[in-house]
Amino acid sequence: MTAERDPAAAGNLILILGDQLSRSLSSLRDADPSRDILLMAEIAEEASYVRHHKKKIAFVFSAMRHFAKELEADGWQLRFVRLDDPENTGSLTGEIDRLRADHPEARVVVTEPGEYRLKSALLDWAEQAGAALDMRQDSRFLCSHQRFRKWAEGRKQLRMEYFYRDMRRDTGLLMDGDKPEGGKWNFDHENRKPAGGGLFLPRPPQTPPDGITEDVLDLVDARFGGHFGSLRPFWFAVTRDGALEALESFVEQALPDFGDYQDAMLEGERFLYHSVLSHYINAGLLEPLEVCRRVERAYYEGLAPLNAAEGFIRQIIGWREYMRGIYWLNMPGYTERNFLEATRPLPGFYWTGETDMACLSAAITQTRDEAYAHHIQRLMVTGNFAMLAGVDPHQVHEWYLAVYADAYEWVEAPNVIGMSQFADGGLLGSKPYAASGNYINKMSDHCSSCRYDVKHKSGAGACPFNTLYWDFLSRNADKLRGNPRLRQVYSIWDRMSAGQQDEYLETARQVLERYCDE
Ligand code: FAD
Ligand code: DLZ
Ligand code: SF4
């Protein structure tokens, strides 16, 4: 992808996208501040191709403005196009054209966009405009497309665990020679404790908005006021320094308990021991490897136990890299997959949080307020309900892409289409993450304040997850019955009397009518 630089050539135009806020960017590798011009642009199309959460737009715009200011202070020539600039064309390619009009000979350099949609748009644009485009690999990721393709080649199943071990060997993270630290690759079985009362629960640092952020908040309010989510209070860091502070705070306060309570949920506690760093990492304010090295150091300094450090590092060099690999291996078309042929529209309460199901209300309300929910809420509450109810996975995908501050299609789609909705038919999970209310009850305290009874399996007051669970298995029996990991649940279903099965299905029908068919 990379073309050699000709020293006699005119300066380059270097496009820096809103999730490329890193000085180590491959597009800046050989850049020359005296000749090259950097381009950053606030673009209506990028903010509304799905109607992003207001906090997400504000975070990206403010972080872009801060990054641009830092680059300018370092002596770079930079064109920053604000959203409200009357000449703003509203598209990234329009902005490149506008800058190129003054520099027709210039080559355009860009680090590969994270999303297929934008990569294709830039490649199409270059072809049509007859422009020289130098699109470079994104070296912030640890595994290149080529490396992932090679790893995946010839494998019947793409299991994250084996990929992860290779990444441990490649990076040397938590390695003792060629053996994993502590003698095991994975300490996940120690990471499933429900959280009880009386725990000290840290909060991510709250950064007060500065003048730049206040301007952006006003702009977002005016231009995207109809989008989902609360804009204020706004507490995200918007600079690398602020993100580094958030990393330090996580390592000191939450990391030691990260492993133990990774899967827990608590009413009113939105962050537990999670890092709340994904939006910083995905936008480029933090680099994935530096975050992992910091966590590894905390382990060697005795500040965090191995199950926490290993569990955290696995999420980043394992899951995060693996999801990106799956995305690029399967695009285009991955976001259209619908293995279970689910067609129901996304229930309206996903946009309001107004539901009497306590677990869903908590997850969606905090999503609205914070543009954040942690993994188990995304997977086992909102994701699980949508899959059990048979919601069209494309609508689920668009919801997740819109509502989280860390959502970019390269990471969101495999998590949603693959992991959470089983819409890829098992490419990345050996069975659907379908669960009845029992799982949510074990891992959280939501059920005690819910109007439903998690112990009731059917009938008016029964937990909706309980009846939807069996309805889901019954509805999808032709596609799922042959799955060896579901043999046991189907044998339970088969042993039920016809009367009991009917009762489950009838209650599920009422649940779907109440919540999904309004
Ligand atoms: P922590 O729990 O502290 O984890 C540490 C880091 O590990 C995260 O910051 C993140 O960088 C990485 N990580 C953890 N799990 C995953 C994963 N499954 N895939 C990729 N990276 C992971 N993550 C996104 O970054 N963007 C998304 O749009 C996104 N959508 C998701 C949708 C669904 C349905 C599910 C089940 C998961 C999704 N995830 C997504 C993964 C995960 O939920 C978030 O990365 C995590 O909740 C972010 O919060 P945190 O920083 O506190 O993470
Ligand atoms: C997410 C986002 C938003 C909301 N706005 C912009 C923008 O105005 N300008 C820009 O360059 N990038 C933005 N981004 C990030 C892009 O959507 C992101 O680069 C692509 O989705 C590729 O990952
Ligand atoms: Fe959620 Fe069911 Fe528990 Fe209510 S009873 S909180 S719906 S799992």
Side-chain angles (χ1 to χ4, degrees), residues 15-20 40-44 46-49 52 56-57 60-61 64 83 92 113-115 117-118 407-410:
L15 173 66
I16 300 180
L17 300 168
D19 55 353
Q20 298 186 340
M40 297 178 74
E42 295 170 356
I43 295 295
E46 290 305 308
S48 48
Y49 69 94
H52 294 297
K56 176 182 183 181
I57 302 174
V60 173
F61 283 11
M64 284 175 73
L83 188 82
L92 280 163
E115 299 191 348
R117 154 193 79 77
L118 191 52
Y408 298 90
E409 196 178 83
W410 63 266

PDB file of all heavy atoms in Angstrom, residues 15-20 40-44 46-49 52 56-57 60-61 64 83 92 113-115 117-118 407-410, ligand 2:
ATOM      1  N   LEU A  15      -4.644  13.322   5.105  1.00  0.00           N
ATOM      2  CA  LEU A  15      -5.970  13.335   5.741  1.00  0.00           C
ATOM      3  C   LEU A  15      -5.894  12.568   7.059  1.00  0.00           C
ATOM      4  O   LEU A  15      -5.458  11.411   7.094  1.00  0.00           O
ATOM      5  CB  LEU A  15      -6.982  12.664   4.795  1.00  0.00           C
ATOM      6  CG  LEU A  15      -8.385  12.431   5.354  1.00  0.00           C
ATOM      7  CD1 LEU A  15      -9.105  13.755   5.621  1.00  0.00           C
ATOM      8  CD2 LEU A  15      -9.214  11.583   4.380  1.00  0.00           C
ATOM      9  N   ILE A  16      -6.336  13.227   8.134  1.00  0.00           N
ATOM     10  CA  ILE A  16      -6.366  12.561   9.452  1.00  0.00           C
ATOM     11  C   ILE A  16      -7.822  12.474   9.894  1.00  0.00           C
ATOM     12  O   ILE A  16      -8.501  13.492  10.061  1.00  0.00           O
ATOM     13  CB  ILE A  16      -5.519  13.343  10.481  1.00  0.00           C
ATOM     14  CG1 ILE A  16      -4.062  13.420   9.999  1.00  0.00           C
ATOM     15  CG2 ILE A  16      -5.608  12.683  11.858  1.00  0.00           C
ATOM     16  CD1 ILE A  16      -3.141  14.172  10.937  1.00  0.00           C
ATOM     17  N   LEU A  17      -8.291  11.246  10.080  1.00  0.00           N
ATOM     18  CA  LEU A  17      -9.704  11.037  10.423  1.00  0.00           C
ATOM     19  C   LEU A  17      -9.939  11.174  11.924  1.00  0.00           C
ATOM     20  O   LEU A  17      -8.997  11.149  12.724  1.00  0.00           O
ATOM     21  CB  LEU A  17     -10.133   9.647   9.942  1.00  0.00           C
ATOM     22  CG  LEU A  17     -10.003   9.429   8.432  1.00  0.00           C
ATOM     23  CD1 LEU A  17     -10.156   7.951   8.079  1.00  0.00           C
ATOM     24  CD2 LEU A  17     -11.036  10.276   7.689  1.00  0.00           C
ATOM     25  N   GLY A  18     -11.205  11.258  12.279  1.00  0.00           N
ATOM     26  CA  GLY A  18     -11.584  11.494  13.669  1.00  0.00           C
ATOM     27  C   GLY A  18     -11.208  10.381  14.634  1.00  0.00           C
ATOM     28  O   GLY A  18     -11.196  10.589  15.852  1.00  0.00           O
ATOM     29  N   ASP A  19     -10.906   9.200  14.114  1.00  0.00           N
ATOM     30  CA  ASP A  19     -10.430   8.134  15.005  1.00  0.00           C
ATOM     31  C   ASP A  19      -8.961   7.817  14.718  1.00  0.00           C
ATOM     32  O   ASP A  19      -8.497   6.707  14.949  1.00  0.00           O
ATOM     33  CB  ASP A  19     -11.306   6.870  14.881  1.00  0.00           C
ATOM     34  CG  ASP A  19     -11.405   6.378  13.451  1.00  0.00           C
ATOM     35  OD1 ASP A  19     -10.918   7.053  12.533  1.00  0.00           O
ATOM     36  OD2 ASP A  19     -11.987   5.286  13.249  1.00  0.00           O
ATOM     37  N   GLN A  20      -8.263   8.834  14.236  1.00  0.00           N
ATOM     38  CA  GLN A  20      -6.825   8.651  13.956  1.00  0.00           C
ATOM     39  C   GLN A  20      -6.017   9.719  14.700  1.00  0.00           C
ATOM     40  O   GLN A  20      -5.102  10.327  14.136  1.00  0.00           O
ATOM     41  CB  GLN A  20      -6.580   8.748  12.447  1.00  0.00           C
ATOM     42  CG  GLN A  20      -7.313   7.659  11.669  1.00  0.00           C
ATOM     43  CD  GLN A  20      -6.973   7.640  10.188  1.00  0.00           C
ATOM     44  OE1 GLN A  20      -6.492   8.629   9.636  1.00  0.00           O
ATOM     45  NE2 GLN A  20      -7.234   6.519   9.541  1.00  0.00           N
ATOM     46  N   MET A  40      -7.942  18.002   8.510  1.00  0.00           N
ATOM     47  CA  MET A  40      -8.916  17.388   9.426  1.00  0.00           C
ATOM     48  C   MET A  40     -10.242  18.107   9.209  1.00  0.00           C
ATOM     49  O   MET A  40     -10.267  19.321   9.032  1.00  0.00           O
ATOM     50  CB  MET A  40      -8.471  17.537  10.883  1.00  0.00           C
ATOM     51  CG  MET A  40      -7.174  16.811  11.186  1.00  0.00           C
ATOM     52  SD  MET A  40      -6.628  17.040  12.892  1.00  0.00           S
ATOM     53  CE  MET A  40      -7.789  16.006  13.752  1.00  0.00           C
ATOM     54  N   ALA A  41     -11.339  17.351   9.240  1.00  0.00           N
ATOM     55  CA  ALA A  41     -12.616  17.990   8.913  1.00  0.00           C
ATOM     56  C   ALA A  41     -13.761  17.396   9.738  1.00  0.00           C
ATOM     57  O   ALA A  41     -13.870  16.164   9.845  1.00  0.00           O
ATOM     58  CB  ALA A  41     -12.908  17.823   7.421  1.00  0.00           C
ATOM     59  N   GLU A  42     -14.568  18.282  10.283  1.00  0.00           N
ATOM     60  CA  GLU A  42     -15.806  17.855  10.964  1.00  0.00           C
ATOM     61  C   GLU A  42     -16.880  17.712   9.882  1.00  0.00           C
ATOM     62  O   GLU A  42     -17.214  18.681   9.207  1.00  0.00           O
ATOM     63  CB  GLU A  42     -16.227  18.895  11.996  1.00  0.00           C
ATOM     64  CG  GLU A  42     -15.223  19.028  13.131  1.00  0.00           C
ATOM     65  CD  GLU A  42     -15.489  20.230  14.044  1.00  0.00           C
ATOM     66  OE1 GLU A  42     -16.415  21.011  13.758  1.00  0.00           O
ATOM     67  OE2 GLU A  42     -14.756  20.392  15.019  1.00  0.00           O
ATOM     68  N   ILE A  43     -17.387  16.525   9.761  1.00  0.00           N
ATOM     69  CA  ILE A  43     -18.178  16.179   8.592  1.00  0.00           C
ATOM     70  C   ILE A  43     -19.573  15.694   8.995  1.00  0.00           C
ATOM     71  O   ILE A  43     -19.701  14.718   9.749  1.00  0.00           O
ATOM     72  CB  ILE A  43     -17.431  15.064   7.813  1.00  0.00           C
ATOM     73  CG1 ILE A  43     -16.103  15.595   7.266  1.00  0.00           C
ATOM     74  CG2 ILE A  43     -18.276  14.466   6.721  1.00  0.00           C
ATOM     75  CD1 ILE A  43     -16.255  16.676   6.218  1.00  0.00           C
ATOM     76  N   ALA A  44     -20.589  16.376   8.454  1.00  0.00           N
ATOM     77  CA  ALA A  44     -21.962  16.006   8.815  1.00  0.00           C
ATOM     78  C   ALA A  44     -22.256  14.546   8.475  1.00  0.00           C
ATOM     79  O   ALA A  44     -22.894  13.814   9.249  1.00  0.00           O
ATOM     80  CB  ALA A  44     -22.935  16.919   8.081  1.00  0.00           C
ATOM     81  N   GLU A  46     -20.274  11.959   8.458  1.00  0.00           N
ATOM     82  CA  GLU A  46     -19.678  11.021   9.417  1.00  0.00           C
ATOM     83  C   GLU A  46     -20.457  10.994  10.726  1.00  0.00           C
ATOM     84  O   GLU A  46     -20.473   9.988  11.435  1.00  0.00           O
ATOM     85  CB  GLU A  46     -18.210  11.393   9.691  1.00  0.00           C
ATOM     86  CG  GLU A  46     -17.294  11.137   8.537  1.00  0.00           C
ATOM     87  CD  GLU A  46     -17.352   9.695   8.037  1.00  0.00           C
ATOM     88  OE1 GLU A  46     -17.212   8.775   8.845  1.00  0.00           O
ATOM     89  OE2 GLU A  46     -17.558   9.500   6.818  1.00  0.00           O
ATOM     90  N   ALA A  47     -21.093  12.107  11.047  1.00  0.00           N
ATOM     91  CA  ALA A  47     -21.831  12.181  12.312  1.00  0.00           C
ATOM     92  C   ALA A  47     -23.238  11.630  12.177  1.00  0.00           C
ATOM     93  O   ALA A  47     -23.923  11.413  13.176  1.00  0.00           O
ATOM     94  CB  ALA A  47     -21.879  13.621  12.807  1.00  0.00           C
ATOM     95  N   SER A  48     -23.678  11.408  10.935  1.00  0.00           N
ATOM     96  CA  SER A  48     -25.095  11.031  10.809  1.00  0.00           C
ATOM     97  C   SER A  48     -25.385   9.887   9.844  1.00  0.00           C
ATOM     98  O   SER A  48     -26.537   9.616   9.574  1.00  0.00           O
ATOM     99  CB  SER A  48     -25.920  12.267  10.439  1.00  0.00           C
ATOM    100  OG  SER A  48     -25.313  12.956   9.379  1.00  0.00           O
ATOM    101  N   TYR A  49     -24.358   9.169   9.342  1.00  0.00           N
ATOM    102  CA  TYR A  49     -24.673   8.005   8.495  1.00  0.00           C
ATOM    103  C   TYR A  49     -25.390   6.952   9.349  1.00  0.00           C
ATOM    104  O   TYR A  49     -26.178   6.161   8.840  1.00  0.00           O
ATOM    105  CB  TYR A  49     -23.431   7.439   7.786  1.00  0.00           C
ATOM    106  CG  TYR A  49     -22.431   6.769   8.683  1.00  0.00           C
ATOM    107  CD1 TYR A  49     -22.467   5.396   8.896  1.00  0.00           C
ATOM    108  CD2 TYR A  49     -21.460   7.509   9.339  1.00  0.00           C
ATOM    109  CE1 TYR A  49     -21.558   4.785   9.734  1.00  0.00           C
ATOM    110  CE2 TYR A  49     -20.552   6.910  10.179  1.00  0.00           C
ATOM    111  CZ  TYR A  49     -20.606   5.544  10.366  1.00  0.00           C
ATOM    112  OH  TYR A  49     -19.718   4.937  11.213  1.00  0.00           O
ATOM    113  N   HIS A  52     -25.438   9.061  15.388  1.00  0.00           N
ATOM    114  CA  HIS A  52     -24.595   8.792  16.564  1.00  0.00           C
ATOM    115  C   HIS A  52     -25.100   9.518  17.812  1.00  0.00           C
ATOM    116  O   HIS A  52     -25.641  10.632  17.728  1.00  0.00           O
ATOM    117  CB  HIS A  52     -23.160   9.256  16.319  1.00  0.00           C
ATOM    118  CG  HIS A  52     -22.430   8.500  15.253  1.00  0.00           C
ATOM    119  ND1 HIS A  52     -22.149   7.158  15.342  1.00  0.00           N
ATOM    120  CD2 HIS A  52     -21.903   8.895  14.075  1.00  0.00           C
ATOM    121  CE1 HIS A  52     -21.495   6.771  14.270  1.00  0.00           C
ATOM    122  NE2 HIS A  52     -21.342   7.798  13.480  1.00  0.00           N
ATOM    123  N   LYS A  56     -20.998  10.952  21.735  1.00  0.00           N
ATOM    124  CA  LYS A  56     -19.954  10.397  20.859  1.00  0.00           C
ATOM    125  C   LYS A  56     -19.486  11.464  19.862  1.00  0.00           C
ATOM    126  O   LYS A  56     -18.282  11.649  19.656  1.00  0.00           O
ATOM    127  CB  LYS A  56     -20.521   9.192  20.112  1.00  0.00           C
ATOM    128  CG  LYS A  56     -19.564   8.582  19.107  1.00  0.00           C
ATOM    129  CD  LYS A  56     -20.263   7.420  18.403  1.00  0.00           C
ATOM    130  CE  LYS A  56     -19.346   6.716  17.438  1.00  0.00           C
ATOM    131  NZ  LYS A  56     -20.070   5.615  16.771  1.00  0.00           N
ATOM    132  N   ILE A  57     -20.430  12.177  19.273  1.00  0.00           N
ATOM    133  CA  ILE A  57     -20.058  13.222  18.309  1.00  0.00           C
ATOM    134  C   ILE A  57     -19.232  14.298  19.020  1.00  0.00           C
ATOM    135  O   ILE A  57     -18.190  14.743  18.526  1.00  0.00           O
ATOM    136  CB  ILE A  57     -21.312  13.847  17.652  1.00  0.00           C
ATOM    137  CG1 ILE A  57     -22.144  12.764  16.944  1.00  0.00           C
ATOM    138  CG2 ILE A  57     -20.907  14.946  16.661  1.00  0.00           C
ATOM    139  CD1 ILE A  57     -23.472  13.276  16.386  1.00  0.00           C
ATOM    140  N   VAL A  60     -15.691  13.035  19.701  1.00  0.00           N
ATOM    141  CA  VAL A  60     -14.837  12.982  18.502  1.00  0.00           C
ATOM    142  C   VAL A  60     -14.460  14.400  18.050  1.00  0.00           C
ATOM    143  O   VAL A  60     -13.285  14.692  17.805  1.00  0.00           O
ATOM    144  CB  VAL A  60     -15.530  12.196  17.360  1.00  0.00           C
ATOM    145  CG1 VAL A  60     -14.731  12.295  16.063  1.00  0.00           C
ATOM    146  CG2 VAL A  60     -15.721  10.729  17.743  1.00  0.00           C
ATOM    147  N   PHE A  61     -15.437  15.291  17.991  1.00  0.00           N
ATOM    148  CA  PHE A  61     -15.139  16.660  17.519  1.00  0.00           C
ATOM    149  C   PHE A  61     -14.172  17.376  18.473  1.00  0.00           C
ATOM    150  O   PHE A  61     -13.223  18.020  18.044  1.00  0.00           O
ATOM    151  CB  PHE A  61     -16.423  17.499  17.394  1.00  0.00           C
ATOM    152  CG  PHE A  61     -17.258  17.191  16.166  1.00  0.00           C
ATOM    153  CD1 PHE A  61     -16.998  16.091  15.368  1.00  0.00           C
ATOM    154  CD2 PHE A  61     -18.315  18.019  15.800  1.00  0.00           C
ATOM    155  CE1 PHE A  61     -17.763  15.809  14.245  1.00  0.00           C
ATOM    156  CE2 PHE A  61     -19.084  17.759  14.682  1.00  0.00           C
ATOM    157  CZ  PHE A  61     -18.811  16.646  13.901  1.00  0.00           C
ATOM    158  N   MET A  64     -10.767  15.936  18.200  1.00  0.00           N
ATOM    159  CA  MET A  64     -10.143  16.378  16.936  1.00  0.00           C
ATOM    160  C   MET A  64      -9.610  17.802  17.080  1.00  0.00           C
ATOM    161  O   MET A  64      -8.487  18.108  16.667  1.00  0.00           O
ATOM    162  CB  MET A  64     -11.181  16.344  15.789  1.00  0.00           C
ATOM    163  CG  MET A  64     -11.502  14.962  15.269  1.00  0.00           C
ATOM    164  SD  MET A  64     -12.843  14.998  14.027  1.00  0.00           S
ATOM    165  CE  MET A  64     -12.011  15.706  12.620  1.00  0.00           C
ATOM    166  N   LEU A  83     -17.485  22.127  11.385  1.00  0.00           N
ATOM    167  CA  LEU A  83     -18.797  21.720  10.874  1.00  0.00           C
ATOM    168  C   LEU A  83     -19.585  22.924  10.375  1.00  0.00           C
ATOM    169  O   LEU A  83     -20.284  22.853   9.370  1.00  0.00           O
ATOM    170  CB  LEU A  83     -19.573  21.011  11.992  1.00  0.00           C
ATOM    171  CG  LEU A  83     -20.875  20.376  11.550  1.00  0.00           C
ATOM    172  CD1 LEU A  83     -20.620  19.012  10.915  1.00  0.00           C
ATOM    173  CD2 LEU A  83     -21.848  20.215  12.712  1.00  0.00           C
ATOM    174  N   LEU A  92     -16.090  13.922   3.354  1.00  0.00           N
ATOM    175  CA  LEU A  92     -14.628  13.934   3.444  1.00  0.00           C
ATOM    176  C   LEU A  92     -13.992  14.083   2.067  1.00  0.00           C
ATOM    177  O   LEU A  92     -13.036  14.840   1.893  1.00  0.00           O
ATOM    178  CB  LEU A  92     -14.139  12.646   4.125  1.00  0.00           C
ATOM    179  CG  LEU A  92     -14.244  12.682   5.654  1.00  0.00           C
ATOM    180  CD1 LEU A  92     -14.164  11.294   6.245  1.00  0.00           C
ATOM    181  CD2 LEU A  92     -13.158  13.567   6.260  1.00  0.00           C
ATOM    182  N   PRO A 113      -8.767   3.799   6.634  1.00  0.00           N
ATOM    183  CA  PRO A 113      -9.888   4.008   7.565  1.00  0.00           C
ATOM    184  C   PRO A 113     -10.309   2.695   8.232  1.00  0.00           C
ATOM    185  O   PRO A 113     -10.145   1.617   7.660  1.00  0.00           O
ATOM    186  CB  PRO A 113     -11.009   4.524   6.655  1.00  0.00           C
ATOM    187  CG  PRO A 113     -10.342   5.011   5.419  1.00  0.00           C
ATOM    188  CD  PRO A 113      -9.111   4.168   5.252  1.00  0.00           C
ATOM    189  N   GLY A 114     -10.868   2.824   9.417  1.00  0.00           N
ATOM    190  CA  GLY A 114     -11.282   1.628  10.162  1.00  0.00           C
ATOM    191  C   GLY A 114     -12.504   0.961   9.555  1.00  0.00           C
ATOM    192  O   GLY A 114     -12.739  -0.225   9.773  1.00  0.00           O
ATOM    193  N   GLU A 115     -13.300   1.719   8.813  1.00  0.00           N
ATOM    194  CA  GLU A 115     -14.543   1.148   8.292  1.00  0.00           C
ATOM    195  C   GLU A 115     -14.450   0.938   6.787  1.00  0.00           C
ATOM    196  O   GLU A 115     -13.964   1.812   6.057  1.00  0.00           O
ATOM    197  CB  GLU A 115     -15.733   2.069   8.633  1.00  0.00           C
ATOM    198  CG  GLU A 115     -15.898   2.217  10.127  1.00  0.00           C
ATOM    199  CD  GLU A 115     -17.204   2.894  10.548  1.00  0.00           C
ATOM    200  OE1 GLU A 115     -17.910   3.454   9.696  1.00  0.00           O
ATOM    201  OE2 GLU A 115     -17.492   2.846  11.761  1.00  0.00           O
ATOM    202  N   ARG A 117     -16.787   1.039   4.581  1.00  0.00           N
ATOM    203  CA  ARG A 117     -17.556   2.073   3.895  1.00  0.00           C
ATOM    204  C   ARG A 117     -16.663   3.243   3.472  1.00  0.00           C
ATOM    205  O   ARG A 117     -16.691   3.674   2.329  1.00  0.00           O
ATOM    206  CB  ARG A 117     -18.645   2.521   4.895  1.00  0.00           C
ATOM    207  CG  ARG A 117     -19.225   3.870   4.805  1.00  0.00           C
ATOM    208  CD  ARG A 117     -20.018   4.190   6.068  1.00  0.00           C
ATOM    209  NE  ARG A 117     -19.189   4.593   7.194  1.00  0.00           N
ATOM    210  CZ  ARG A 117     -18.637   5.795   7.346  1.00  0.00           C
ATOM    211  NH1 ARG A 117     -18.832   6.724   6.458  1.00  0.00           N
ATOM    212  NH2 ARG A 117     -17.884   6.066   8.393  1.00  0.00           N
ATOM    213  N   LEU A 118     -15.862   3.726   4.389  1.00  0.00           N
ATOM    214  CA  LEU A 118     -15.050   4.913   4.118  1.00  0.00           C
ATOM    215  C   LEU A 118     -13.825   4.569   3.289  1.00  0.00           C
ATOM    216  O   LEU A 118     -13.409   5.344   2.421  1.00  0.00           O
ATOM    217  CB  LEU A 118     -14.651   5.570   5.450  1.00  0.00           C
ATOM    218  CG  LEU A 118     -14.029   6.948   5.370  1.00  0.00           C
ATOM    219  CD1 LEU A 118     -14.861   7.911   4.549  1.00  0.00           C
ATOM    220  CD2 LEU A 118     -13.836   7.518   6.783  1.00  0.00           C
ATOM    221  N   ALA A 407     -18.003   3.071  19.415  1.00  0.00           N
ATOM    222  CA  ALA A 407     -18.483   2.223  18.311  1.00  0.00           C
ATOM    223  C   ALA A 407     -17.961   2.662  16.947  1.00  0.00           C
ATOM    224  O   ALA A 407     -18.222   3.772  16.489  1.00  0.00           O
ATOM    225  CB  ALA A 407     -20.006   2.206  18.311  1.00  0.00           C
ATOM    226  N   TYR A 408     -17.224   1.795  16.340  1.00  0.00           N
ATOM    227  CA  TYR A 408     -16.801   1.898  14.938  1.00  0.00           C
ATOM    228  C   TYR A 408     -17.083   0.529  14.352  1.00  0.00           C
ATOM    229  O   TYR A 408     -16.896  -0.492  15.026  1.00  0.00           O
ATOM    230  CB  TYR A 408     -15.300   2.238  14.834  1.00  0.00           C
ATOM    231  CG  TYR A 408     -14.993   3.572  15.471  1.00  0.00           C
ATOM    232  CD1 TYR A 408     -14.661   3.642  16.824  1.00  0.00           C
ATOM    233  CD2 TYR A 408     -15.104   4.758  14.751  1.00  0.00           C
ATOM    234  CE1 TYR A 408     -14.422   4.856  17.438  1.00  0.00           C
ATOM    235  CE2 TYR A 408     -14.860   5.986  15.356  1.00  0.00           C
ATOM    236  CZ  TYR A 408     -14.530   6.028  16.701  1.00  0.00           C
ATOM    237  OH  TYR A 408     -14.314   7.226  17.306  1.00  0.00           O
ATOM    238  N   GLU A 409     -17.478   0.516  13.095  1.00  0.00           N
ATOM    239  CA  GLU A 409     -17.992  -0.747  12.549  1.00  0.00           C
ATOM    240  C   GLU A 409     -17.001  -1.909  12.636  1.00  0.00           C
ATOM    241  O   GLU A 409     -17.397  -3.050  12.829  1.00  0.00           O
ATOM    242  CB  GLU A 409     -18.423  -0.522  11.094  1.00  0.00           C
ATOM    243  CG  GLU A 409     -19.311  -1.622  10.572  1.00  0.00           C
ATOM    244  CD  GLU A 409     -19.771  -1.348   9.157  1.00  0.00           C
ATOM    245  OE1 GLU A 409     -19.014  -1.636   8.209  1.00  0.00           O
ATOM    246  OE2 GLU A 409     -20.880  -0.829   8.997  1.00  0.00           O
ATOM    247  N   TRP A 410     -15.686  -1.625  12.530  1.00  0.00           N
ATOM    248  CA  TRP A 410     -14.707  -2.722  12.503  1.00  0.00           C
ATOM    249  C   TRP A 410     -14.732  -3.541  13.798  1.00  0.00           C
ATOM    250  O   TRP A 410     -14.367  -4.710  13.808  1.00  0.00           O
ATOM    251  CB  TRP A 410     -13.290  -2.186  12.227  1.00  0.00           C
ATOM    252  CG  TRP A 410     -12.759  -1.254  13.303  1.00  0.00           C
ATOM    253  CD1 TRP A 410     -12.826   0.099  13.318  1.00  0.00           C
ATOM    254  CD2 TRP A 410     -12.102  -1.629  14.525  1.00  0.00           C
ATOM    255  NE1 TRP A 410     -12.256   0.597  14.462  1.00  0.00           N
ATOM    256  CE2 TRP A 410     -11.800  -0.443  15.217  1.00  0.00           C
ATOM    257  CE3 TRP A 410     -11.729  -2.854  15.096  1.00  0.00           C
ATOM    258  CZ2 TRP A 410     -11.155  -0.436  16.453  1.00  0.00           C
ATOM    259  CZ3 TRP A 410     -11.086  -2.856  16.325  1.00  0.00           C
ATOM    260  CH2 TRP A 410     -10.810  -1.651  16.991  1.00  0.00           C
TER     261      TRP A 410
HETATM  262  C1  DLZ B   2     -17.112   9.005  14.288  1.00  0.00           C
HETATM  263  C2  DLZ B   2     -16.729  10.230  13.542  1.00  0.00           C
HETATM  264  C3  DLZ B   2     -17.544  11.361  13.631  1.00  0.00           C
HETATM  265  C4  DLZ B   2     -18.750  11.410  14.462  1.00  0.00           C
HETATM  266  N1  DLZ B   2     -17.235  12.468  12.954  1.00  0.00           N
HETATM  267  C5  DLZ B   2     -16.110  12.517  12.197  1.00  0.00           C
HETATM  268  C6  DLZ B   2     -15.768  13.685  11.473  1.00  0.00           C
HETATM  269  O1  DLZ B   2     -16.458  14.671  11.480  1.00  0.00           O
HETATM  270  N2  DLZ B   2     -14.628  13.679  10.755  1.00  0.00           N
HETATM  271  C7  DLZ B   2     -13.815  12.594  10.679  1.00  0.00           C
HETATM  272  O2  DLZ B   2     -12.772  12.641  10.030  1.00  0.00           O
HETATM  273  N3  DLZ B   2     -14.140  11.464  11.351  1.00  0.00           N
HETATM  274  C8  DLZ B   2     -15.259  11.397  12.111  1.00  0.00           C
HETATM  275  N4  DLZ B   2     -15.592  10.268  12.777  1.00  0.00           N
HETATM  276  C9  DLZ B   2     -14.736   9.102  12.629  1.00  0.00           C
HETATM  277  C10 DLZ B   2     -14.988   8.388  11.298  1.00  0.00           C
HETATM  278  O3  DLZ B   2     -16.364   8.055  11.208  1.00  0.00           O
HETATM  279  C11 DLZ B   2     -14.090   7.164  11.211  1.00  0.00           C
HETATM  280  O4  DLZ B   2     -12.828   7.601  10.819  1.00  0.00           O
HETATM  281  C12 DLZ B   2     -14.576   6.136  10.247  1.00  0.00           C
HETATM  282  O5  DLZ B   2     -15.786   5.620  10.656  1.00  0.00           O
HETATM  283  C13 DLZ B   2     -13.558   5.015  10.079  1.00  0.00           C
HETATM  284  O6  DLZ B   2     -13.386   4.286  11.274  1.00  0.00           O
END
